[in-house]
């Protein structure tokens, strides 16, 4: 029996494959320190869990509106209005089961076969996968290490054609930890306005920043109506398994996205949406504590990586990823690619990381090799992991 042709166009998230490999090694008795997984190692704050329990006990266990319950959409509209300094109404918010569906639905709502979509490379692999799935043409825009993983906007502008429909941004970024500067965002906004493009701004890490202030492209003049903000609860409130996120967009597009949701999941889990209201309106101390701990770990891991021969790591400004350049280390060990180094570190040193190519094919004319480290793991694991890597690389 045959499956649909389009399934062949759907990609994967390599992090899950490496995770399966790590689990296999662990069940065979190997000790593995993992820097592979992209989720906070903290527990969901107690007040949020309690709000969910209360909602279940109050029987908020039925279907709700496809775009989300009104009190949560109002809470999100307030939150986005304050943090992005733009007026947002509840009807411009669409609640979804996670941030990821915002990517899936945005691309389905905006991209026709043959339309071109510009997306960051390296970047979250789901962008390219879904663009391909709908028959769009993925156009990778390089993030440049020397520019602290910002775009060369002159180069980006050259990628625009009459078929370009959408630009995807992600700041702070997965996998580099980089943040787009105000100047970069202003230049991209000008390009989007001049060419009448949509922008999907993936801001899932907007609260996990260490240096400088977060700026959303939606806050820039002329951008609000053409921008879809993706944000959610997974990273900020350590709620990855709850599945709660949202998109913010103009009202007309919000109606289309809602129709997509009605056709797929009917609505996001009702009692979890009540927990989301508590997350946004309750105490924020746990977020501040988590970010302070991530900052400490960031400093620890970047210093440690830069102390290993052949590794050079820029200081990330946000998220919980470090993205060192390992070109020299690969050369010294006789490896052609970071993927070989990743396999060597996993099997020889018992340390799991992801190769840069899990986040998109190498950019044209870029000879460099990278690894991604998630430092959403204890300080003790970071120190031990760094020591094991140093021994394996400098042997
Ligand atoms: N966007 C980026 C850049 C991410 O790194 C992730 C998760 O790793 C997501 C979106 C998805 O978030 P969620 O778990 O809320 O679906």
């Amino acid at each position: 029996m045959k499956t649909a042709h389009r399934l062949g166009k759907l990609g994967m998230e390599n992090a899950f494959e490496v995770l399966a490999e790590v689990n296999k090694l662990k069940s065979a008795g190997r000790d593995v320190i993992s820097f592979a997984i992209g989720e906070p190692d903290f527990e969901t704050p107690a007040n949020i869990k309690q709000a969910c329990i209360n909602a279940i006990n109050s029987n908020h266990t039925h279907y709700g509106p496809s775009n989300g319950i009104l009190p949560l959409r109002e809470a999100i509209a307030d939150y986005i209005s304050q943090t992005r300094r733009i007026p947002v109404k509840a009807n411009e918010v669409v609640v979804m089961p996670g941030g990821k569906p915002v990517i899936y639905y945005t691309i389905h709502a905006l991209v026709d076969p043959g339309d071109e979509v510009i997306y960051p490379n390296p970047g979250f692999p789901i962008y390219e996968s879904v663009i391909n799935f709908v028959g769009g043409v993925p156009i990778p825009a390089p993030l440049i290490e020397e520019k602290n993983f910002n775009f060369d906007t002159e180069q980006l502008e050259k990628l625009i054609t009459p078929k370009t429909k959408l630009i995807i941004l992600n700041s702070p970024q997965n996998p580099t930890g980089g943040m787009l500067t105000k100047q970069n965002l202003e230049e991209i906004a000008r390009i989007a306005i001049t060419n009448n493009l949509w922008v999907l701004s993936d801001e899932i890490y907007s609260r996990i920043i260490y240096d400088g202030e977060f700026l959303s492209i939606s806050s820039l003049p002329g951008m609000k109506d053409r921008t879809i903000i993706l944000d959610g609860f997974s990273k900020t409130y350590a709620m990855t398994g709850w599945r709660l996120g949202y998109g913010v967009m103009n009202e007309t597009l919000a109606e289309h996205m809602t129709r997509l949701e009605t056709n797929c999941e009917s609505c996001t889990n009702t009692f979890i949406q009540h927990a989301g209201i508590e997350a946004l309106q309750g105490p924020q101390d746990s977020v501040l504590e988590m970010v302070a701990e991530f900052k400490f770990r960031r400093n620890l891991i970047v210093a440690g990586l830069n102390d290993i021969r052949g590794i050079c790591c820029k200081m990330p400004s946000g998220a919980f990823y470090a993205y060192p350049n390992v070109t020299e280390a690969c050369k010294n060990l006789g490896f052609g690619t970071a993927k070989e180094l990743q396999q060597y570190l996993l099997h020889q040193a018992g340390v799991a990381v992801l190769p840069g190519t899990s986040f998109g094919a190498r950019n044209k004319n870029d000879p460099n090799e990278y690894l991604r480290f998630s430092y959403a793991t204890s300080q003790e694991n970071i120190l031990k992991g760094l020591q094991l890597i140093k021994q394996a690389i400098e042997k």
Side-chain angles (χ1 to χ4, degrees):
M1 283 190 293
K2 275 192 177 164
T3 55
H5 177 68
R6 77 174 78 84
L7 281 182
K9 297 179 178 174
L10 206 53
M12 260 301 285
E13 228 184 300
N14 191 257
F16 289 103
E17 286 166 20
V18 173
L19 207 68
E21 225 178 336
V22 169
N23 288 338
K24 210 167 135 196
L25 284 171
K26 278 186 174 167
S27 55
R30 273 296 300 272
D31 253 354
V32 180
I33 293 187
S34 180
F35 295 103
I37 186 75
E39 69 169 342
D41 54 319
F42 298 88
E43 301 304 344
T44 305
N47 61 314
I48 301 176
K49 290 193 230 177
Q50 192 57 51
C52 177
I53 293 164
N54 294 348
I56 293 175
N57 287 333
S58 306
N59 296 314
H60 290 299
T61 52
H62 298 273
Y63 287 131
S66 291
N67 58 347
I69 58 172
L70 183 61
L72 177 59
R73 283 188 291 113
E74 284 174 343
I76 292 168
D78 280 352
Y79 170 71
I80 295 292
S81 300
Q82 279 170 33
T83 51
R84 276 62 168 190
R85 290 180 227 100
I86 46 173
V88 171
K89 295 182 294 220
N91 281 354
E92 295 171 309
V93 176
V94 184
V95 176
M96 300 192 193
K100 231 179 200 176
V102 182
I103 301 169
Y104 193 84
Y105 290 139
T106 298
I107 293 172
H108 274 77
L110 300 181
V111 180
D112 279 317
D115 283 348
E116 294 175 4
V117 182
I118 295 175
Y119 66 99
N121 194 33
F124 191 45
I126 298 307
Y127 308 140
E128 186 186 355
S129 167
V130 183
I131 298 164
N132 278 323
F133 191 57
V134 301
V137 183
I139 307 287
L143 291 168
I144 318 272
E145 185 186 6
E146 299 79 63
K147 292 180 180 284
N148 280 323
F149 299 109
N150 272 244
F151 295 102
D152 175 332
T153 43
E154 249 178 62
Q155 197 181 348
L156 186 140
E157 194 159 15
K158 287 192 189 130
L159 300 175
I160 308 277
T161 75
K163 296 223 159 202
T164 310
K165 192 75 167 282
L166 168 69
I167 300 182
I168 301 178
L169 305 177
N170 172 216
S171 176
Q173 284 149 19
N174 178 8
T176 68
M179 223 160 57
L180 299 178
T181 61
K182 184 163 188 262
Q183 189 189 347
N184 226 237
L185 289 169
E186 282 171 348
E187 286 166 4
I188 297 164
R190 178 188 54 75
I191 294 169
I193 291 167
T194 312
N195 296 282
N196 198 21
L197 305 176
W198 292 96
V199 174
L200 169 60
S201 182
D202 183 341
E203 303 178 1
I204 198 86
Y205 297 103
S206 59
R207 293 280 288 279
I208 306 177
I209 60 171
Y210 314 113
D211 309 309
E213 228 183 286
F214 173 71
L215 177 64
S216 167
I217 196 162
S218 66
S219 311
L220 300 177
M223 286 307 295
K224 188 190 157 216
D225 272 1
R226 63 177 69 252
T227 303
I228 298 97
I229 298 174
L230 177 164
D231 205 340
F233 299 78
S234 300
K235 318 284 177 177
T236 306
Y237 299 102
M239 289 174 72
T240 47
W242 293 64
R243 310 312 300 137
L244 188 61
Y246 53 88
V248 178
M249 65 212 75
N250 75 48
E251 236 173 294
T252 313
L253 184 59
E255 280 168 23
H256 293 303
M257 298 277 232
T258 303
R259 220 149 34 92
L260 280 165
E261 277 208 271
T262 305
N263 275 270
C264 188
E265 71 257 356
S266 294
C267 66
T268 304
N269 181 315
T270 306
F271 49 83
I272 282 172
Q273 294 188 59
H274 284 270
I277 300 172
E278 173 62 21
L280 286 177
Q281 296 182 340
Q284 303 294 304
D285 327 20
S286 53
V287 182
L288 300 177
E289 280 163 26
M290 183 179 75
V291 174
E293 173 63 20
F294 277 146
K295 184 171 183 176
F296 190 89
R297 295 179 191 174
R298 171 196 71 158
N299 295 343
L300 198 63
I301 199 164
V302 172
L305 286 169
N306 281 323
D307 190 44
I308 298 172
R309 190 166 4 113
I311 296 189
C312 180
C313 188
K314 284 255 187 277
M315 185 61 92
S317 306
F320 36 72
Y321 307 112
Y323 197 67
N325 184 325
V326 293
T327 316
E328 279 306 309
C330 287
K331 253 187 222 151
N332 295 342
L333 290 161
F335 295 139
T337 63
K339 172 85 188 155
E340 289 171 52
L341 178 59
Q342 176 260 332
Q343 284 291 312
Y344 171 75
L345 292 178
L346 181 58
H347 294 282
Q348 295 296 315
V351 177
V353 294
L354 295 178
T357 43
S358 291
F359 301 91
R362 181 201 296 278
N363 284 310
K364 231 162 101 196
N365 304 326
D366 182 359
N368 291 304
E369 296 292 334
Y370 299 91
L371 291 176
R372 189 196 78 168
F373 286 70
S374 160
Y375 48 89
T377 186
S378 67
Q379 293 179 26
E380 194 190 342
N381 275 349
I382 292 172
L383 288 172
K384 178 125 182 272
L386 285 168
Q387 193 192 6
L388 291 168
I389 296 171
K390 191 170 167 75
Q391 277 165 5
I393 287 187
E394 296 185 355
K395 69 181 167 99

